[in-house]
Amino acid sequence: LTLFAGLQAFRQQPPTPERTCAFETATAAILRESGRVLVEHEYNRIEPACLDDCPFRLRFAGAEYRRRPKSPNQVGTLFGAVELRRYLYEAVEAVEPAIFPLEQHLGIEAGLATPALAERVGLWSVDHEQEQVRSLLRREHNVSWSVTSVRQVTMALRDGLASFREEAQVARVLALLTKAVASQGKHRPVLAAGRDGIHVPIRQQGYHEGATATL
């Protein structure tokens, strides 16, 4: 079904809530697939198609790597899963893990998600359980991940943001204190810190303490 065919079919009969829903859902599916094909093509054209057109060796983080043939990888995008075909570079010294320069340049998180999709996963994970995140991924982006994949992406985001956390927290506290000092009232602002916890049930693991600190 093309966009034009779907539009013509919708115009042939008076609109109803059911037909409107079906038309919009079908149009969204067509646009999503078009976006998926577009980003898959664009990302795969970045690296040369011919093996000999890529550097045989390169250096990264003080280690030397040698080129190996392309291999496919399923990566989640806002439009669905795409096959990313990228060159592998194997460390000359076996102690270093292999790298995929294309994935590094694109910002692929945990080898599983583009930055745009990873951002969605991070935001959802703040307010939803893992199964709910998986359901949102399937419904909103046609991406089917295991619990392990969701955890790998969220952990990669956590590690990537860790170095910025303290600076952001300090800036937030200072902004709140500045607002409090400038506010009207007979009481002076008070900065208080506390810690509390509660025992919560963990599936198949019994109860564990969940702690939180407040400022």
Side-chain angles (χ1 to χ4, degrees):
L1 182 65
T2 64
L3 281 174
F4 180 75
L7 183 62
Q8 290 296 99
F10 180 71
R11 290 176 174 177
Q12 289 176 359
Q13 299 182 41
T16 64
E18 292 80 5
R19 294 190 66 247
T20 300
C21 180
F23 168 68
E24 193 168 332
T25 300
T27 301
I30 294 170
L31 293 175
R32 174 189 288 170
E33 178 60 16
S34 299
R36 192 194 67 80
V37 172
L38 176 64
V39 298
E40 182 176 73
H41 175 268
E42 186 63 21
Y43 294 166
N44 281 306
R45 62 165 289 279
I46 296 174
E47 287 188 327
C50 180
L51 180 68
D52 292 334
D53 290 337
C54 280
F56 178 67
R57 293 202 177 195
L58 57 80
R59 293 190 65 82
F60 174 74
E64 189 172 2
Y65 295 82
R66 54 175 170 258
R67 183 193 62 210
R68 289 292 182 262
K70 279 188 177 183
S71 59
N73 182 35
Q74 288 291 314
V75 174
T77 76
L78 293 180
F79 307 102
V82 301
E83 183 180 79
L84 188 65
R85 297 177 295 278
R86 68 279 197 265
Y87 288 108
L88 179 146
Y89 277 79
E90 188 178 65
V92 175
E93 299 292 337
V95 294
E96 298 293 337
I99 61 173
F100 296 95
L102 179 58
E103 290 191 358
Q104 292 178 338
H105 286 297
L106 292 175
I108 304 300
E109 289 287 353
L112 290 164
T114 59
L117 185 65
E119 181 183 46
R120 295 284 177 89
V121 172
L123 293 173
W124 284 336
S125 297
V126 174
D127 298 316
H128 301 284
E129 297 177 353
Q130 290 176 344
E131 287 301 324
Q132 293 174 315
V133 173
R134 294 179 65 207
S135 178
L136 285 166
L137 281 168
R138 286 191 298 268
R139 185 175 73 241
E140 301 295 330
H141 302 292
N142 200 27
V143 172
S144 296
W145 279 354
S146 65
V147 170
T148 300
S149 295
V150 173
R151 289 177 179 173
Q152 288 175 338
V153 172
T154 54
M155 286 190 295
L157 290 172
R158 177 202 63 193
D159 295 341
L161 293 171
S163 61
F164 303 99
R165 183 182 299 117
E166 183 177 355
E167 182 180 352
Q169 290 172 333
V170 170
R172 176 61 174 163
V173 172
L174 291 176
L176 291 173
L177 287 173
T178 301
K179 181 179 179 181
V181 171
S183 64
Q184 300 294 321
K186 62 180 181 179
H187 299 292
R188 297 182 63 186
V190 175
L191 182 65
R195 181 182 180 276
D196 199 359
I198 187 173
H199 285 277
V200 294
I202 305 297
R203 186 180 302 174
Q204 299 178 349
Q205 297 183 24
Y207 281 79
H208 290 266
E209 184 178 12
T212 183
T214 58
L215 191 66

